[in-house]
Amino acid sequence: MTGYQGPQRVLSGIQPSGGMHLGNYLGAIRKFVELQHKYDCFYCVVDMHAITVWQDPAKLREQTFHIAASYLAAGVDPKIAAIFHQSAVRAHAELAWIFNCVARLGWLDRMTQFKDKAGKDKQRASVGLYTYPVLQAADILVYKATHVPVGEDQKQHLELSRDIAGKFNHDFKADDFFPLPEPLIKGPGARIMSLRDGSSKMSKSDGSENACIFLKDDADTMTRKIKKAKTDPEPLPSEPKGLEGRPEAENLVGIYGALSGKSDAEVLAEYGGQGFGVFKPALAELVVEKIAPIGAELNRLEADPAYLKSVLDAGAERASVIADKVVREVKEIVGFVV
Ligand code: ATP
Ligand code: LTN
């Protein structure tokens, strides 16, 4: 960070583009819960990001409640942290436009997520998908957030947010107006891989049902998915070095470690030399123990959309107070008549 003197704030967001999975939990939400006791926290359901690819309107609404309910079920306390949906705080879109005029085409051209998501025919991708990281920078900086808990895949987008903040401060001679937000990525679970392919990340939009453990899966489904997870025929090594070149084994050991609070070395000290016939049932038991209660609470909360809506509305109101003030300051800096 530079000489930024403002309050330390946390913002993060998750897209309502599908069911919440173990990767989202370990890479993001679990950190949200810890951070709420240390910082002023804003947790957003980024519905405007979700529509950068087609979303069925009825499902989008349902999934927005699903993400909000997941935050709550995992332990985010709406009395402490603001939980809200992005489209309800118009300042995000206003700042995104101004940032569209700060960010450079060359910066966006380098974004690997656009390349992955646009696929072969990028002429058919939405313009929104291209400027997606600019809206993400606005999400963060409209609260002048200093810290952003995310999974490993968001590293590049966070660098872009820092670049936009730095260029804005520089171009408008507004020293330290925006902080350069720091990603909080480290820690076990920053990159959980698909259960079907150890080289691609566990993702909501993965075609294969069995690749992902969803928070809402019942105990039998979780167990079945883990038992079916792709592995190799070798037993587990007794040290982490032995996981090199064995991405599927590494992923399962990593999940065990992230959920049990043990390092890879500790997990392997216990299971080294054992085959997956022993390790998978132990992992399944741990996943069920840690995740099933969250799933049960999630189901309970989803049955009460009126409560979820009240949480989102209250969160949006709280968020708007800060965001509107920052946008007003930005408008003045840019030279708009306010
Ligand atoms: P999609 O793959 O459909 O774009 P997603 O599953 O990656 O969606 P996002 O809404 O893009 O979900 O991500 C929400 C948060 O979860 C982000 O902080 C992201 O870094 C984190 N995350 C997503 N997938 C993983 C994963 N496999 N391992 C660790 N963290 C993850
Ligand atoms: N691009 C993020 C979601 C996201 C986000 C944010 C994360 C949108 N805005 C602001 C952190 C801060 C993703 O996980 N795909």
Side-chain angles (χ1 to χ4, degrees):
M1 190 161 317
T2 52
Y4 181 75
Q5 298 290 328
Q8 306 269 297
R9 285 199 187 117
V10 165
L11 174 124
S12 197
I14 296 188
Q15 303 181 74
S17 53
M20 289 290 263
H21 55 74
L22 192 61
N24 298 138
Y25 175 67
L26 292 173
I29 314 187
R30 198 167 66 160
K31 294 184 208 148
F32 297 1
V33 179
E34 287 163 26
L35 289 163
Q36 67 183 337
H37 303 295
K38 278 217 237 144
Y39 298 95
D40 205 7
C41 292
F42 296 83
Y43 298 131
C44 191
V45 183
V46 288
D47 49 1
M48 297 198 298
H49 276 109
I51 63 162
T52 57
V53 299
W54 172 252
Q55 302 293 335
D56 174 81
K59 271 202 188 141
L60 179 64
R61 205 165 292 126
E62 201 178 286
Q63 284 163 358
T64 299
F65 286 126
H66 171 66
I67 305 295
S70 303
Y71 290 167
L72 295 168
V76 177
D77 181 347
K79 290 198 279 304
I80 302 178
I83 296 177
F84 61 101
H85 52 312
Q86 187 185 31
S87 61
V89 182
R90 72 173 73 138
H92 290 239
E94 289 187 82
L95 185 60
W97 179 258
I98 294 169
F99 281 176
N100 270 327
C101 304
V102 173
R104 305 289 95 179
L105 278 178
W107 298 358
L108 291 182
D109 280 341
R110 286 195 285 275
M111 295 294 118
T112 55
Q113 182 177 292
F114 175 77
K115 290 178 202 161
D116 293 345
K117 293 215 166 173
K120 281 194 195 80
D121 190 0
K122 68 175 188 215
Q123 296 300 316
R124 294 177 62 87
S126 74
V127 176
L129 188 65
Y130 188 69
T131 63
Y132 175 119
V134 177
L135 177 59
Q136 183 164 348
D139 296 338
I140 298 166
L141 293 164
V142 84
Y143 303 98
K144 298 191 176 182
T146 50
H147 296 85
V148 185
V150 279
E152 176 88 36
D153 60 318
Q154 293 303 306
K155 205 168 165 205
Q156 196 183 36
H157 285 165
L158 262 292
E159 277 159 18
L160 187 94
S161 296
R162 293 168 65 88
D163 289 343
I164 291 176
K167 186 164 164 57
F168 181 95
N169 289 349
H170 174 268
D171 288 358
F172 293 100
K173 300 187 177 46
D175 271 355
D176 298 323
F177 176 77
F178 283 122
L180 305 188
E182 281 186 42
L184 301 174
I185 294 176
K186 285 202 187 66
R191 189 166 171 79
I192 302 296
M193 309 310 280
S194 153
L195 297 180
R196 305 300 311 158
D197 170 8
S199 65
S200 65
K201 75 163 192 141
M202 189 177 280
S203 152
K204 288 195 221 93
S205 38
D206 192 301
S208 154
E209 253 279 294
N210 291 329
C212 246
I213 291 179
F214 293 103
L215 300 187
K216 277 174 69 127
D217 281 344
D218 59 32
D220 288 349
T221 307
M222 290 184 203
T223 304
R224 180 174 46 76
K225 286 180 178 177
I226 290 169
K227 291 201 173 151
K228 278 189 147 182
K230 185 178 167 201
T231 41
D232 54 43
E234 302 298 316
L236 284 173
S238 48
E239 284 173 26
K241 218 167 21 119
L243 290 171
E244 275 169 29
R246 299 178 63 186
E248 284 84 13
E250 186 179 8
N251 189 37
L252 296 185
V253 169
I255 293 173
Y256 193 101
L259 286 172
S260 62
K262 292 182 180 157
S263 66
D264 284 1
E266 287 168 324
V267 177
L268 293 175
E270 203 175 332
Y271 289 100
Q274 306 269 20
F276 287 100
V278 172
F279 184 64
K280 280 181 170 178
L283 177 61
E285 201 179 308
L286 179 64
V287 171
V288 169
E289 181 199 322
K290 299 286 182 187
I291 303 299
I294 299 175
E297 178 62 3
L298 185 47
N299 286 329
R300 194 188 68 76
L301 288 161
E302 279 182 338
D304 192 353
Y307 170 68
L308 295 173
K309 177 79 166 60
S310 73
V311 168
L312 288 171
D313 286 346
E317 210 171 302
R318 228 166 107 187
S320 295
V321 173
I322 311 267
D324 288 348
K325 182 164 172 283
V326 172
V327 163
R328 194 184 162 86
E329 288 168 359
V330 168
K331 285 181 171 175
E332 278 182 23
I333 290 172
V334 167
F336 291 166
V337 175
V338 291

